[in-house]
Each structure stands twice: as structure tokens, then as C-alpha cells.
């Protein structure tokens, strides 16, 4: 008597669920893998360049730069980790869940804003990865390098979640070793620690870098649940929160400090300083940074595609979102972001600083509304199946309270804004310290709470009714 050999599961699984809820029997994520994802996602040359802004653009000393970076990241990651804790309970992508606060069609507006953010980061990472490689091989064609790196990221994102998480788990370890070696060597290099003796402390510089740390972390909020949704539902809130929080803070602060040290040597080209100061070790580090960035960048595109599919699902009633739809959307979004990278590579630093500043203002109201709705008003109880109904189900097509609150959250920030393009009338009396994001967060959360308590919550779910995760 012979028996058929058991089928062997593929080493990497092609994704078939896209924006649909992840059934319990397909949730193959773990707290450890979630931690690896958020450690790996910050092991990028873009993180180095961001850290260099402290000693370069803001003129802070090394120690004040570290304090500002640490404070900003610790604050910002708290919000993102709270969003991540929603994933195991709901099982859907982060921005699709916005339909519960903004309505079936209103949620697509927020998903579109998040899509622009993801494509912007994908393009930014391509540019900085290109700079890393060209610091080692200056004879290469920069446009060709961007295109090749884009193809790598697009291919990984098209395959889906499982390949993204496994690639980042391996890469995070390799890059962490490189960063540790580089930082130890730089700390004992007099040309680094004594490069800018006039640097010190400025209030505007300190809070400016603190705000960048906050927005760096909050930029992850629109897609943290894209990955935590693969955790089993009984994982609970705390493990998902801490895996995300610690992964984000440890890696971001770690790599940004490397940027601080390099920025003190050459503010205009911190990646070039890595090669000139560290010699062969720096050269190897740049090469690893460049190649790994091309792969890690897939996470930005993957979550951007989740947002795009949310919009497609809302806008085109006849389009059925399938794996083919996801792959085609990945190709289109990847091509758009690559074109943006090719168009903006020459003036990257200025464009990137403007990008992250505006990003903070538009993300803050959404984050406050989402957290208030999830943790205070509905206490994690949602009817997931009704998020996919074209009439919005109990959540409606347009949620006036959510959309109005979001608009108010944007408007109240305007007087306090500090950007190269516009400075609010209340910025100067405050010493040009950017507190707009604080005002926006507090006002958005408070207004949403008051309006829902006064006018009633659309689509409230009884606490006895748990979130529905179906196999659609």
C-alpha cells in the first residue's frame, strides 16, 4: 500500500487576499515577524538623510540632535503603535477601516491622501538608494539605477505580504550589523565629533527636528494594520502594540543617529561622508544600504496599493478586486512613483523636507479621529462585512461628522504652520516653533468626540457584537 506524499507548502506564499479580511486560519504572522518588519523598514539610507537634517539644516549639536530625535520618535510611534493594535481585531488594511469613520466613499478620500504619501516615500527611497550606490560607483547612470531599484521593489510588492515580511526580516539583521559597526567607528573619529564646534541648541531647531521625528513615525500609521492584520485575533492589543512600537523606535533612532554623525561632517551629502570617513567599511555599508533599500521599499508600495484598491473598490462598482487587479495596480502605482523619482532627483533634499512637513499636517486629523473612534467611542467593535457594502451599510456612504471634523482639523493648523511655502500668523509669536500638529491632533479628537456624543455615532455596534471577519 502506497500513500501520496503530503503537499509541501511553498517557501513564500503569493498573496490572494488583497484588501479583503484575513480569515483566522490564514493568519500566519507572529509578534516576532511584526517586530522584524518595523525594525527592517527603517534600515534605509533615507533614514540616515533624515537624521542628518538635525545637524545640517537645523544646526543642532550632536547631543541636542539625539535628544530631539529620541523625543520625537518616542511620541510619534505611540500613535502608530495604537493604530497597529487594531489589526489583529479587524483583519483589514488600515485605510479601508477609515470607512467606519468617514463612510464608504468618504474613506476613499483618506485612502487617496495616504496613497500619495506612500508613492512619495517610494520615490524618495529610490532617490536616496540611488545616491548610496552612486557614492560607490559614480560612473553608473543615475536614471538607470532608479529604474532597476524600482523594478525590484515593484516585483516584491506584487508578490505580496509574505515575501515583503520575509525579505525585511533577513535584511534588518544584515543592515543592523553595518550600522553598529559604522556608528562605533564614527564615535571614535575626531573629525566627526569635532566637525562643527559652533553647533549648539536653538529652540526652533530642536522643535523642528522633534516634529520631523513625530511625522516620521506617524507616517507609518496609515499602514501598520496592513501587517498586524496577519496576527491571530487572540494575539491581543498589547503584543501588537509593543512589537510595532519597539521596532519603530529602536530602528528609527538608531539609524537617524548615524545620520546625525554623518551630517555633522557633510550636511549636504551625509551618504558621501560615510564613504570618505569610514573608507572601505563605509563603502560596503553604502552598497548594502542601496541594495537593501530597493527591497525594503516594497513595503511602501504594497501599502500604497492597499489604499489604491480601497479607492478602486469604492469608485468602480463593476471592478472585482482580485489578485490580478492587485498586481496590475502595483505596476501602475510603481510606474507613477518611479516617474516622480526621475523627475525630482536633482532637488531631492528640499522637496523631501517640504513633503514630510505637509504630510504631518494632513495625517494628524485622520489619526486623531481614527484613534478616538476605535478606542473611546466604539471600543474596537466594528461590523467588518458592512465596510464592503456599496451603500455603506450601517456606516453610510459619507460620514458628515468624520469628514467635517477632518476639515476642521486641517483648518485649525493653518495659523500655526511653519513651512518654506507658508508661515502662519501665530508662528512668529511662538518663536517659529511648529505646534500646528499638536493643535490639529487635540482639536480633531475633541471635536469628533463631542459631535458623535451630541449627534450620535453612525453605525454603532453593540459591545456584544464582535468584529466580523469573513471569508469573502
Amino acid at each position: 500500500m502506497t500513500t501520496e506524499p503530503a503537499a509541501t507548502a511553498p517557501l513564500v506564499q503569493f498573496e490572494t487576499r488583497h484588501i479583503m479580511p484575513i480569515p483566522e486560519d490564514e493568519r500566519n504572522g507572529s509578534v516576532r515577524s511584526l517586530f522584524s518588519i518595523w525594525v527592517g523598514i527603517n534600515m534605509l539610507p533615507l533614514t540616515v538623510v533624515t537624521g542628518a537634517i538635525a545637524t545640517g539644516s537645523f544646526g543642532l549639536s550632536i547631543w541636542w540632535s539625539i535628544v530631539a530625535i529620541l523625543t520625537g520618535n518616542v511620541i510619534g510611534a505611540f500613535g502608530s503603535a495604537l493604530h497597529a493594535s487594531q489589526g489583529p481585531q479587524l483583519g483589514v488594511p488600515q485605510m479601508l477601516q477609515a470607512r467606519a469613520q468617514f463612510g464608504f466613499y468618504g474613506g476613499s478620500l483618506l485612502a487617496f491622501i495616504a496613497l500619495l504619501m506612500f508613492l512619495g516615500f517610494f520615490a524618495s527611497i529610490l532617490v536616496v538608494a540611488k545616491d548610496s550606490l552612486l557614492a560607490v560607483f559614480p560612473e553608473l547612470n543615475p536614471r538607470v539605477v532608479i529604474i532597476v531599484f524600482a523594478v525590484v521593489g515593484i516585483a516584491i510588492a506584487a508578490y505580496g505580504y509574505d515575501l515583503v515580511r520575509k525579505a525585511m526580516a533577513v535584511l534588518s539583521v544584515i543592515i543592523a550589523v553595518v550600522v553598529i559597526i559604522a556608528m562605533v567607528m564614527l564615535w571614535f573619529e575626531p573629525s566627526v565629533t569635532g566637525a562643527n564646534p559652533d553647533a549648539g541648541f536653538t529652540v526652533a531647531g530642536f522643535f523642528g527636528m522633534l516634529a520631523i521625528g513625530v511625522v516620521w513615525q506617524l507616517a507609518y500609521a496609515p499602514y501598520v494594520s496592513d501587517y498586524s492584520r496577519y496576527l491571530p485575533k487572540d494575539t491581543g492589543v498589547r503584543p501588537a502594540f509593543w512589537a510595532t512600537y519597539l521596532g519603530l523606535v529602536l530602528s528609527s533612532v538608531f539609524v537617524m543617529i548615524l545620520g546625525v554623525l554623518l551630517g555633522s561632517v557633510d550636511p549636504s551629502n551625509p551618504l558621501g561622508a560615510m564613504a570618505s570617513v569610514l573608507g572601505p567599511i563605509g563603502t560596503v555599508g553604502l552598497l548594502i544600504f542601496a541594495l537593501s533599500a530597493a527591497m525594503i521599499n516594497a513595503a511602501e508600495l504594497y501599502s500604497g496599493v492597499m489604499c489604491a484598491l480601497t479607492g478602486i473598490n469604492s469608485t468602480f462598482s463593476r471592478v472585482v478586486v482580485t489578485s490580478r487587479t492587485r498586481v496590475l495596480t502595483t505596476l501602475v502605482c510603481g510606474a507613477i512613483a518611479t516617474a516622480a523619482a526621475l523627475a525630482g532627483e536633482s532637488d531631492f533634499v528640499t522637496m523631501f523636507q517640504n513633503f514630510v512637513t505637509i504630510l504631518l499636517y494632513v495625517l494628524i486629523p485622520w489619526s486623531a479621529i481614527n484613534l478616538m473612534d476605535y478606542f473611546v467611542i466604539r471600543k474596537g467593535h466594528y461590523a467588518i462585512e458592512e465596510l464592503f457594502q456599496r451603500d455603506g451599510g450601517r456606516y453610510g456612504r459619507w460620514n458628515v461628522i468624520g469628514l467635517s471634523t477632518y476639515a476642521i482639523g486641517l483648518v485649525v493648523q493653518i495659523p500655526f504652520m511653519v513651512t518654506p511655502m507658508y508661515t502662519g500668523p501665530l508662528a512668529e509669536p511662538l518663536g517659529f516653533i511648529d505646534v500646528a500638529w499638536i493643535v490639529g491632533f487635540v482639536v480633531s479628537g475633541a471635536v469628533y468626540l463631542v459631535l458623535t456624543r451630541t449627534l450620535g455615532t453612525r453605525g454603532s455596534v453593540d459591545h456584544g457584537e464582535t468584529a466580523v471577519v469573513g471569508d469573502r
Side-chain angles (χ1 to χ4, degrees):
M1 177 178 179
T2 60
T3 58
E4 292 290 332
T8 303
L11 183 63
V12 179
Q13 296 180 350
F14 181 81
E15 182 172 336
T16 59
R17 286 294 171 185
H18 36 87
I19 62 173
M20 304 310 294
I22 308 300
E24 188 68 24
D25 61 355
E26 294 183 19
R27 297 194 181 189
N28 55 4
S30 65
V31 173
R32 181 178 179 180
S33 67
L34 187 65
F35 176 78
S36 298
I37 286 173
W38 298 119
V39 168
I41 205 166
N42 285 304
M43 297 292 184
L44 296 167
L46 182 62
T47 318
V48 176
V49 172
T50 303
I53 294 173
T55 47
S57 300
F58 292 130
L60 296 173
S61 67
I62 290 176
W63 287 110
W64 279 117
S65 298
I66 293 173
V67 173
I69 286 171
L70 179 61
T71 306
N73 280 275
V74 164
I75 294 172
F78 188 80
S80 290
L82 285 174
H83 288 288
S85 67
Q86 303 170 13
Q89 172 73 4
L90 304 181
V92 295
Q94 188 74 63
M95 295 311 296
L96 188 140
Q97 192 247 348
R99 290 175 175 176
Q101 295 95 48
F102 302 97
F104 184 83
Y105 295 108
S108 294
L109 296 178
L110 278 298
F112 178 73
I113 292 172
L115 171 62
L116 295 179
M117 180 198 76
F118 290 126
L119 297 186
F121 270 112
F122 186 84
S124 300
I125 292 170
L126 286 178
V127 172
V128 181
K130 175 264 299 180
D131 291 341
S132 297
L133 190 61
L134 262 60
V136 180
F137 302 110
E139 68 278 4
L140 294 177
N141 185 315
R143 300 177 72 83
V144 172
V145 172
I146 287 176
I147 293 173
V148 171
F149 282 174
V151 169
V152 173
I154 292 170
I156 295 175
Y159 206 85
Y161 159 81
D162 201 37
L163 183 56
V164 171
R165 74 178 178 93
K166 288 179 178 177
M168 289 204 292
V170 175
L171 292 170
S172 61
V173 175
I174 297 173
I175 305 172
V177 172
V178 173
V179 174
I180 290 173
I181 294 173
M183 287 182 64
V184 170
M185 294 178 67
L186 288 169
W187 273 114
F188 292 97
E189 177 57 52
S191 63
V192 175
T193 54
N196 191 1
D198 297 328
F201 174 83
T202 64
V203 174
F206 179 83
F207 282 95
M209 194 62 212
L210 186 151
I212 287 179
V214 171
V215 70
W216 182 267
Q217 295 297 343
L218 282 181
Y220 293 117
Y223 63 123
V224 283
S225 282
D226 295 358
Y227 299 96
S228 63
R229 66 181 173 139
Y230 283 90
L231 294 179
K233 190 174 181 178
D234 60 7
T235 299
V237 171
R238 291 183 180 179
F241 174 91
W242 286 113
T244 303
Y245 186 84
L246 293 176
L248 286 174
V249 172
L250 291 175
S251 58
S252 299
V253 172
F254 195 51
V255 182
M256 283 186 187
I257 291 175
L258 176 61
V260 166
L261 298 175
L262 295 171
S264 66
V265 177
D266 188 351
S268 63
N269 188 13
L271 294 174
M274 188 171 178
S276 62
V277 175
L278 299 181
I281 296 295
T283 299
V284 172
L286 286 172
L287 186 59
I288 293 175
F289 259 136
L291 299 178
S292 62
M295 301 178 69
I296 293 174
N297 204 15
E300 304 290 346
L301 183 58
Y302 173 80
S303 290
V305 169
M306 294 298 105
C307 293
L309 291 176
T310 299
I312 291 172
N313 177 253
S314 300
T315 307
F316 303 102
S317 59
R318 296 185 180 181
V319 175
V320 178
V321 178
T322 62
S323 296
R324 180 182 179 185
T325 311
R326 182 181 63 80
V327 172
L328 290 175
T329 304
T330 302
L331 297 176
V332 172
C333 289
I336 293 172
T338 304
L342 293 171
E345 61 166 319
S346 60
D347 194 26
F348 168 73
V349 174
T350 300
M351 292 180 61
F352 180 69
Q353 282 189 256
N354 294 339
F355 170 68
V356 296
T357 301
I358 298 301
L359 182 61
L360 177 61
Y361 300 141
V362 299
L363 282 179
I364 280 291
W366 162 79
S367 179
I369 292 168
N370 178 270
L371 294 177
M372 183 63 71
D373 189 70
Y374 186 90
F375 289 101
V376 178
I377 297 172
R378 303 184 197 269
K379 295 180 171 58
H381 297 277
Y382 294 81
I384 298 302
E385 295 294 333
E386 297 196 27
L387 294 176
F388 293 88
Q389 294 181 10
R390 300 209 64 81
D391 62 358
R394 68 183 69 193
Y395 303 110
R397 293 184 174 88
W398 302 91
N399 188 317
V400 176
I401 292 178
L403 294 169
S404 300
T405 303
Y406 182 80
I408 292 171
L410 293 178
V411 171
V412 297
Q413 295 181 81
I414 295 175
F416 302 93
M417 287 181 177
V418 181
T419 74
M421 298 169 286
Y422 170 79
T423 300
L426 297 181
E428 185 174 1
L430 294 173
F432 295 101
I433 300 173
D434 192 349
V435 298
W437 58 277
I438 300 176
V439 175
F441 189 89
V442 173
V443 171
S444 298
V447 169
Y448 188 76
L449 178 62
V450 170
L451 290 179
T452 51
R453 293 296 193 217
T454 304
L455 303 177
T457 304
R458 177 147 197 182
S460 60
V461 181
D462 294 336
H463 287 189
E465 181 180 350
T466 58
V468 181
V469 181
D471 186 357
R472 294 174 67 90

